[in-house]
Amino acid sequence: MIEPTQMVEVGSSVTGRIDRVYVKRGDWVKKMQTLATLESDAERAASELAKFKSQQVGPTQMAEGKMEFSKKKLNRRQEMASQKLMALQDSEDTEAEFRLAEAELQVAKENRQIAKLELQQQNSLLNLRTIKSPVEGVVVDQGAFQGEVFELGSNKKFIFKVAEMNPLRVHVILPKHVFGELKHGMEANVTPEIPQGSIYSAKVDMVDRLIDAASGTFIVFLEMPNPKLEIPAGVKCKVVFPELGKK
């Protein structure tokens, strides 16, 4: 049997109403292509607010200006105090003002860094509401539609089901007397029911280590390239291993 490499049920890690759907059953999709989006007005607004906060430079500039002024004032006062033109207490008070200005600048920088981290967090939450395909393949089923609420833990476990069609996986059942003769990477010729008369190359990808006692058989999986998508999945086939000389 020729099968998809994997069948992926694509859903969402958050609950939300499906706002837009971009594909339908039978469509070919690329890896990381957007399939659907959930309603995200609140998350988008929060992201824009976080972006604005992360780009604010006013508090930092104000704190820098205050510190620079305090530094110059401190230098003057220290010079005057050294010449005994000013009381030592006044000089110490000015130094305290300078240290406070330094602390305020540090707080302004930390707040801006926090704003940047909040922006990353909000963008991550927004991205969770975009449903993307984890593989390149064909949409074979749709479990939820535009306007519906996709809820975690509900009976609707997926929004789309995507079958990876390149490469394909060939499920082969072989008699136990050839067990041990097949190795990973061994070549095989595959003749599917559709298209008729065509022969394709495949390689052994996995040999099952368990033999079924009732039937005296074991399973081998082949990997078969399908770049033009001309070979359908779900059809039977015949497999010949040239190195074994047996079907």
Side-chain angles (χ1 to χ4, degrees):
M1 181 70 70
I2 299 176
E3 306 169 340
T5 298
Q6 58 180 328
M7 191 78 71
V8 184
E9 292 184 348
V10 184
S12 172
S13 57
V14 296
T15 297
R17 186 180 68 85
I18 301 175
D19 185 41
R20 296 193 65 183
V21 173
Y22 298 96
V23 297
K24 61 183 182 299
R25 183 169 180 169
D27 285 351
W28 178 260
V29 296
K30 296 181 179 179
K31 186 175 182 179
M32 299 311 294
Q33 179 178 332
T34 298
L35 307 180
T37 54
L38 302 183
E39 193 175 58
S40 56
D41 291 344
E43 288 76 12
R44 185 167 285 104
S47 179
E48 288 296 324
L49 177 60
K51 182 179 180 180
F52 175 77
K53 289 181 177 179
S54 69
Q55 294 175 341
Q56 281 186 311
V57 295
T60 303
Q61 290 178 342
M62 184 171 64
E64 287 175 344
K66 186 175 181 180
M67 192 190 75
E68 185 66 25
F69 175 78
S70 298
K71 184 177 181 180
K72 291 179 179 179
K73 182 178 178 181
L74 175 61
N75 290 337
R76 291 196 301 268
R77 293 292 177 90
Q78 285 179 336
E79 184 178 352
M80 293 175 68
S82 65
Q83 297 176 5
K84 297 183 179 181
L85 299 175
M86 176 182 292
L88 182 60
Q89 182 62 43
D90 290 339
S91 177
E92 291 176 349
D93 290 346
T94 305
E95 184 174 359
E97 290 178 7
F98 173 71
R99 299 305 175 195
L100 181 60
E102 271 189 327
E104 290 177 352
L105 176 59
Q106 183 62 30
V107 170
K109 290 180 177 179
E110 290 173 354
N111 286 339
R112 190 174 184 188
Q113 183 62 30
I114 290 172
K116 290 180 179 179
L117 295 175
E118 288 177 347
L119 174 60
Q120 293 178 7
Q121 180 187 40
Q122 292 300 329
N123 284 340
S124 297
L125 293 174
L126 182 60
N127 289 337
L128 289 177
R129 308 188 79 79
T130 300
I131 314 304
K132 297 184 178 182
S133 175
V135 297
E136 183 176 9
V138 176
V139 178
V140 296
D141 197 5
Q142 184 172 349
F145 298 83
Q146 185 172 338
E148 293 186 40
V149 175
F150 183 83
E151 186 174 358
L152 295 175
S154 68
N155 57 345
K156 292 184 178 180
K157 297 182 179 180
F158 64 89
I159 299 176
F160 291 103
K161 189 178 289 186
V162 180
E164 186 177 1
M165 300 290 289
N166 181 37
L168 291 168
R169 184 175 70 169
V170 184
H171 186 163
V172 186
I173 299 175
L174 293 170
K176 64 181 180 181
H177 70 264
V178 297
F179 185 82
E181 298 183 35
L182 293 167
K183 306 297 181 183
H184 184 273
M186 182 179 289
E187 297 284 344
N189 296 326
V190 181
T191 305
E193 290 180 325
I194 303 173
Q196 293 183 353
S198 300
I199 300 177
Y200 301 91
S201 295
K203 291 184 178 181
V204 175
D205 185 53
M206 190 277 286
V207 179
D208 197 350
R209 309 309 299 176
L210 178 65
I211 296 178
D212 181 69
S215 62
T217 61
F218 66 101
I219 296 173
V220 173
F221 289 110
L222 310 179
E223 184 179 281
M224 182 169 63
N226 189 28
K228 297 181 180 179
L229 307 178
E230 58 187 1
I231 312 170
V235 298
K236 294 181 180 180
C237 64
K238 291 184 179 181
V239 178
V240 176
F241 297 93
E243 295 182 40
L244 297 182
K246 298 178 181 180
K247 292 186 179 179

